[in-house]
Amino acid sequence: MKLRNVFFALAALLLAGSCAAPKKISYFQDAKSDTSLPQIVSEYKIVIKPYDKISILVNSKDPMLTNLFNLPIVNKQLGQMANMTYGNSYGLAGYTVDINGNIDFPVLGQVHVGGMSRDEIAQHIKNELVTRNLVNDPVVTVEYLNLSVSVLGEVNRPGKYNIEREKITILDAISMAGDLTIQGMRENVMVLRDMDGVQKIYRVDLCSSESVMTSPVYYLQQNDIVYVEPNKMKARQSTVNGNALRSSSFWMSLASLLTTIIVVIVK
């Protein structure tokens, strides 16, 4: 009888251990009501880098004049092709920044835009047009075309997401990816960032408001990679080379079988 009770207890412990839920699920667990969150310290300005693609649209009171500074685009809708300029609903042509941070702009020639923000590029183009007496009242608009961040791992919709505004936070990226799955490790989210050809790795604890807000990767930059690792429970459920011995369900089934055998023998 004692032997049977011992095996029942062991089986119960195995079951409880396998069903134990991770403690760190909620975000910002250290945040309290009616208190201010830690001050954000990271840079949020996105600057243009080599191989980024941007669109530049010049407008003024004289559309015929400004068309000289806008790239033509091709309309392929309904099998028809026609050269068109900016200011329509068919899409935007763009400039790819070369390795030296330059673009070849109509009339102006080579223009250096590397290291500039979107607003700085627009102001620089505007100043050049006015200084050279090419356009008296230009309105210059700059948009990102291929800037993106990637979100991988234990999220509901992993993939690459476009950057369409000046600020995008790690929380924005996770939201676009449909939030973390319940198996995602919230206290150890990894962000990979290219810093002048060197990959740097940052760790963020989403359960801690201080860790999130004071992280240098709170504001993301183009080409950042956010990776959410699986928690220990998900890792235990995985198999290696088809070997199911690491699966918690396997051990639960084995414990149940052994308990049944012992009960039968003891009886």
Side-chain angles (χ1 to χ4, degrees):
M1 234 3 232
K2 291 182 178 180
L3 185 61
R4 182 172 63 178
N5 291 337
V6 169
F7 277 98
F8 271 126
L10 289 174
L13 286 173
L14 284 173
L15 183 62
S18 62
C19 295
K23 294 181 180 179
K24 293 191 175 182
I25 296 297
S26 302
Y27 299 160
F28 302 150
Q29 292 183 17
D30 58 344
K32 298 180 181 179
S33 300
D34 302 322
T35 59
S36 300
L37 292 175
Q39 184 178 1
I40 300 171
V41 297
S42 63
E43 294 285 342
Y44 68 82
K45 183 171 70 173
I46 293 177
V47 297
I48 296 302
K49 301 177 181 179
Y51 309 115
D52 286 345
K53 191 173 183 179
I54 56 175
S55 70
I56 302 177
L57 172 63
V58 179
N59 282 309
S60 75
K61 293 179 180 178
D62 186 351
M64 294 297 294
L65 176 62
T66 54
N67 281 344
L68 296 174
F69 305 97
N70 294 327
L71 292 178
I73 64 175
V74 177
N75 171 27
K76 297 183 180 180
Q77 192 174 16
L78 299 178
Q80 297 179 350
M81 298 183 63
N83 288 330
M84 306 184 71
T85 57
Y86 283 115
N88 55 70
S89 60
Y90 293 92
L92 298 175
Y95 302 88
T96 300
V97 182
D98 67 20
I99 188 63
N100 298 313
N102 301 320
I103 60 172
D104 192 12
F105 195 77
V107 182
L108 295 181
Q110 193 174 78
V111 177
H112 185 75
V113 298
M116 295 184 182
S117 67
R118 183 163 54 179
D119 291 340
E120 290 170 342
I121 295 173
Q123 188 61 48
H124 179 60
I125 297 292
K126 180 177 180 179
N127 291 341
E128 288 292 314
L129 294 174
V130 173
T131 301
R132 301 188 190 187
N133 293 320
L134 296 172
V135 184
N136 293 325
D137 56 345
V139 176
V140 182
T141 305
V142 179
E143 299 291 345
Y144 305 133
L145 292 184
N146 71 336
L147 274 61
S148 62
V149 296
S150 298
V151 187
L152 308 174
E154 287 296 329
V155 293
N156 287 297
R157 294 192 299 272
K160 182 177 288 188
Y161 295 89
N162 292 333
I163 297 176
E164 298 177 348
R165 50 196 172 94
E166 207 62 47
K167 295 182 181 180
I168 178 171
T169 69
I170 186 173
L171 299 176
D172 292 329
I174 291 174
S175 176
M176 290 187 290
D179 203 358
L180 276 66
T181 67
I182 196 63
Q183 294 90 4
M185 190 179 295
R186 286 148 173 78
E187 67 271 27
N188 196 25
V189 175
M190 182 190 305
V191 178
L192 286 79
R193 173 171 293 174
D194 185 295
M195 301 288 289
D196 299 322
V198 178
Q199 284 286 343
K200 295 194 67 175
I201 298 177
Y202 300 87
R203 301 278 182 172
V204 181
D205 181 359
L206 297 180
C207 299
S208 167
S209 58
E210 182 174 0
S211 174
V212 175
M213 298 299 177
T214 61
S215 171
V217 292
Y218 175 72
Y219 287 112
L220 298 179
Q221 298 179 5
Q222 66 266 47
N223 305 321
D224 279 356
I225 300 174
V226 180
Y227 174 65
V228 181
E229 298 181 52
N231 59 23
K232 293 181 180 179
M233 181 180 295
K234 180 64 177 292
R236 286 196 300 266
Q237 292 174 350
S238 65
T239 60
V240 180
N241 296 327
N243 184 2
L245 292 179
R246 294 187 62 183
S247 171
S248 59
S249 60
F250 170 81
W251 290 108
M252 288 173 58
S253 301
L254 180 61
S256 176
L257 177 61
L258 290 175
T259 302
T260 302
I261 294 173
I262 294 299
V263 170
V264 172
I265 293 174
V266 171
K267 286 182 176 181

